[in-house]
Amino acid sequence: SMFRSDGKDLEGITNNKLYDTYMYNDRYKKDMFVVPILYETAKKIAKVQNEALKNGDSLIIYETYRPFEVQREVLDKFTNLISEDSEVNTLVNSKPWNTGWFISTRVSNHQRGIAIDSSIVKINKAHKSKVGEYNFISISNYTLYEMPSPIHELSSKSSLFSYPVSSTSKTSFKNATFSNTINDNAIKLYNYYINNGFYPLASEWWHYNDLDTLEKLEVKSNGNFYINDIMSSVPNKNSEN
């Protein structure tokens, strides 16, 4: 966990493992970090990544699905820090922002499988790899771009826009102005996602939602579960499935 506020640790959260994400992937025959997300959203993320690769960049993904129990733990410790530290409280709860903009008090899109927290890196070294009959780019060395704040900085230091806009609207963000702390690298990330059908969260430069897939869901997840196994395997290109 990299959650902090004003650069200050959340007790029992920061630098701790909040849930298991490192598992053996039979498709790649090695242990890997698992970042689960709905399939339709995953296809969109692939488009974002392909656009980034054309510019010598790559996504670096920090979190997708987050168990609701974990989110509640983060919220509890975040609330404690806010109550104990006036500087943090000012950065979090000064208008137009409040606590709920930085960690949801309810079921969020992370639990629904249509949200992604990521940044971008400059690729220094990469090579082509193959799994089964499928080729992909394997990145072995990269440089992190400087962003307006560290990832998962829970305060107005991380805001994308200068004021809140509806996180459920597909249009309200179009007239929003970037915050005075936003930089060109965050705008580049923004464009990669907006160009490929994602929608931003005003308070976090790293968070993007797939509202189109959300609208199609007949049943929306409440996040009351942990993922403890993966079914990834090398696909058979001759299969009808």
Side-chain angles (χ1 to χ4, degrees), residues 181-199:
T181 59
I182 215 69
N183 64 12
D184 290 343
N185 297 329
I187 293 173
K188 180 190 281 192
L189 179 70
Y190 170 89
N191 287 327
Y192 284 152
Y193 275 103
I194 299 307
N195 291 347
N196 291 284
F198 282 89
Y199 302 88

Side-chain angles (χ1 to χ4, degrees), residues 14 17 25 60 97 103 119 121 132 141 167 173 194 202 208 222 228 240:
T14 310
K17 184 173 73 171
N25 190 326
I60 179 168
W97 306 106
I103 189 76
S119 187
V121 301
N141 187 274
S167 60
F173 75 93
I194 299 307
Y208 288 87
N222 59 17
N228 54 27
E240 294 180 357

Side-chain angles (χ1 to χ4, degrees), residues 12-190:
I13 298 295
T14 310
N15 290 330
N16 287 340
K17 184 173 73 171
L18 305 183
Y19 55 98
D20 289 326
T21 62
Y22 198 63
M23 304 176 189
Y24 182 75
N25 190 326
D26 187 57
R27 182 171 185 169
Y28 295 91
K29 304 300 181 185
K30 64 180 181 178
D31 291 329
M32 302 178 74
F33 286 104
V34 179
V35 280
I37 204 155
L38 293 182
Y39 182 59
E40 290 302 313
T41 304
K43 289 193 288 186
K44 283 187 173 183
I45 293 172
K47 292 180 180 179
V48 176
Q49 174 70 344
N50 284 335
E51 183 176 338
L53 289 172
K54 291 176 182 177
N55 292 316
D57 298 330
S58 172
L59 292 179
I60 179 168
I61 300 173
Y62 290 94
E63 194 169 29
T64 49
Y65 174 75
R66 178 191 302 150
F68 184 62
E69 183 179 24
V70 170
Q71 183 167 292
R72 292 296 305 181
E73 291 174 1
V74 176
L75 175 63
D76 288 345
K77 296 303 174 64
F78 183 35
T79 303
N80 289 344
L81 181 61
I82 291 169
S83 66
E84 296 167 356
D85 192 311
S86 60
E87 293 178 350
V88 170
N89 184 51
T90 298
L91 282 171
V92 173
N93 287 314
S94 292
K95 291 183 179 180
W97 306 106
N98 59 53
T99 301
W101 276 103
F102 304 108
I103 189 76
S104 180
T105 59
R106 299 172 292 181
V107 173
S108 75
N109 287 334
H110 279 293
Q111 283 83 61
R112 297 182 180 114
I114 53 94
I116 180 171
D117 292 348
S118 71
S119 187
I120 46 174
V121 301
K122 186 67 177 177
I123 300 172
N124 298 328
K125 187 176 181 180
H127 61 274
K128 292 182 179 179
S129 297
K130 194 171 186 177
V131 171
E133 299 297 323
Y134 296 86
N135 299 313
F136 65 97
I137 301 296
S138 181
I139 299 165
S140 55
N141 187 274
Y142 60 83
T143 302
L144 282 166
Y145 281 110
E146 182 179 354
M147 289 299 189
S149 75
I151 191 80
H152 288 167
E153 160 61 34
L154 305 180
S155 78
S156 55
K157 290 181 177 181
S158 65
S159 59
L160 176 66
F161 298 137
S162 56
Y163 52 85
V165 297
S166 172
S167 60
T168 60
S169 170
K170 294 183 178 181
T171 57
S172 59
F173 75 93
K174 294 181 179 180
N175 296 318
T177 56
F178 290 119
S179 70
N180 57 14
T181 59
I182 215 69
N183 64 12
D184 290 343
N185 297 329
I187 293 173
K188 180 190 281 192
L189 179 70
Y190 170 89

Side-chain angles (χ1 to χ4, degrees), residues 212-230:
D212 300 320
T213 296
L214 180 63
E215 288 178 350
K216 298 175 184 177
L217 296 180
E218 295 182 6
V219 177
K220 295 180 175 65
S221 167
N222 59 17
N224 286 328
F225 59 91
Y226 290 80
I227 294 173
N228 54 27
D229 199 4
I230 56 175

